[in-house]
Amino acid sequence: MGMSSLTEEQVIEALGQAGYRITQSRRAVIRVLLEDNGFASPSELWERAVEYYPGIGLVTVYRTLDLLSRLGFVRRIHTDEGCHGRASTRLGHRHHLICRQCGAAVEFEGCDLSIFLARVSGETGYLVEEHMLELIGLCPECR
Amino acid sequence: MGMSSLTEEQVIEALGQAGYRITQSRRAVIRVLLEDNGFASPSELWERAVEYYPGIGLVTVYRTLDLLSRLGFVRRIHTDEGCHGRASTRLGHRHHLICRQCGAAVEFEGCDLSIFLARVSGETGYLVEEHMLELIGLCPECR
DNA sequence: GTACTTGCAAATAATTTGCAAATAT
DNA sequence: ATATTTGCAAATTATTTGCAAGTAC
């Protein structure tokens, strides 16, 4: 959806800005997240991060994912089976579109649900503050 | 959203139709799910199911939840923290609206996303087959 | 009576925590 | 030099499985 992709340097930059140190482990996790066009579990990410920084431990992957989540660069992917997959994300309000066959994940933005949300709000009396939307389907290759 | 609520008998009926046996354990889990107006983890449900059927084991709660999920009477609730909560649901395509304060969960249906989905489909080349939408906010009491 | 279900204990899997050693600044 | 970060091992938590005993039909 016409998005310039996020670069490693942008994430590193933000880490520094926020006062965190730039370590080899963190670089490895960031690199793996960004080079992936789908989503992966912490241990899958770890297996791949080892190639960039052999000494890295699984625990550090967990900790780095938490950190990047807090900074808004990582998001959980929720599927029927679970919510353990993580994908990189650009900042802001975005959603993922996931291929059920190959797992390819594409981000999209600009979901205009306002009319629908207003209706739900009116009918339930809830104040709707956030929403989580994920689309599942087949990517162009898998169709 | 103007829905007649699901009753224990309806679920029991469906279980029987599908060839499963009606046991005390299953009744207890169903009752607990239905009397709850929010969502709960398997172990929370278990703690409460014990009051209806003291001998019930946690494993049986897991198995019953799986069974009811397959039949479409239970759905996972996905929050930022995880996807372990389960809530009862009526059959069909529905979504949950959850109070971030007290956890109250309301179901709604009739999400009209077709125009939006067509747009995403066109822009990405994906065939969009399903979607998962969950709304988070404040219920009338917690506002 | 028979096949389905259950509870228990044990196995597996996922995640978190304490802490001394390593490292980024 | 110093505070942050790391890896390891261990603790915790969540979920699944094998199997003999129990139960619905």
Side-chain angles (χ1 to χ4, degrees), chain B:
Chain B
M1 257 153 137
M3 348 216 319
S4 51
S5 56
L6 188 63
T7 68
E8 183 175 337
E9 278 316 313
Q10 287 177 288
V11 181
I12 292 293
E13 171 76 17
L15 268 186
Q17 293 286 321
Y20 295 103
R21 297 189 175 171
I22 313 304
T23 65
Q24 308 213 59
S25 305
R26 286 174 176 166
R27 272 191 190 276
V29 173
I30 292 166
R31 194 165 301 172
V32 161
L33 279 167
L34 291 176
E35 81 187 4
D36 194 12
N37 68 332
F39 60 98
S41 67
S43 51
E44 287 165 343
L45 293 167
W46 175 55
E47 285 173 13
R48 289 165 41 210
V50 165
E51 291 167 24
Y52 290 113
Y53 181 52
I56 192 172
L58 175 59
V59 178
T60 299
V61 174
Y62 272 98
R63 288 191 275 226
T64 304
L65 288 172
D66 284 350
L67 174 58
L68 294 175
S69 290
R70 266 179 278 128
L71 295 178
F73 291 114
V74 161
R75 189 159 290 169
R76 278 176 185 259
I77 298 296
H78 297 259
T79 64
D80 274 344
E81 293 81 48
C83 58
H84 306 290
R86 311 296 209 286
S88 68
T89 182
R90 291 175 60 84
L91 295 171
H93 181 71
R94 281 152 199 287
H95 299 284
H96 281 100
L97 168 53
I98 295 164
C99 177
R100 67 168 158 80
Q101 192 106 114
C102 71
V106 162
E107 276 196 299
F108 61 91
E109 55 186 329
C111 58
D112 181 20
L113 304 180
S114 48
I115 295 171
F116 170 63
L117 296 183
R119 192 194 114 213
V120 172
S121 186
E123 293 183 23
T124 60
Y126 272 61
L127 174 65
V128 180
E129 298 174 327
E130 298 173 60
H131 65 270
M132 180 170 81
L133 173 66
E134 237 173 62
L135 308 183
I136 298 100
L138 283 175
C139 73
E141 278 80 47
C142 293
R143 287 182 87 152

Side-chain angles (χ1 to χ4, degrees), chain A residues 21 23 26 55-56 60 63:
Chain A
R21 297 188 176 173
T23 65
R26 286 173 178 168
I56 192 172
T60 299
R63 289 192 274 225

Side-chain angles (χ1 to χ4, degrees), chain A residues 81-99:
Chain A
E81 291 81 47
C83 58
H84 305 291
R86 311 296 209 286
S88 67
T89 182
R90 290 175 60 82
L91 295 171
H93 182 71
R94 281 152 197 289
H95 299 283
H96 281 100
L97 167 54
I98 296 163
C99 176

Side-chain angles (χ1 to χ4, degrees), chain A residues 45-61:
Chain A
L45 293 167
W46 175 56
E47 284 174 13
R48 290 165 42 212
V50 165
E51 291 168 25
Y52 290 114
Y53 181 51
I56 192 172
L58 175 57
V59 178
T60 299
V61 174

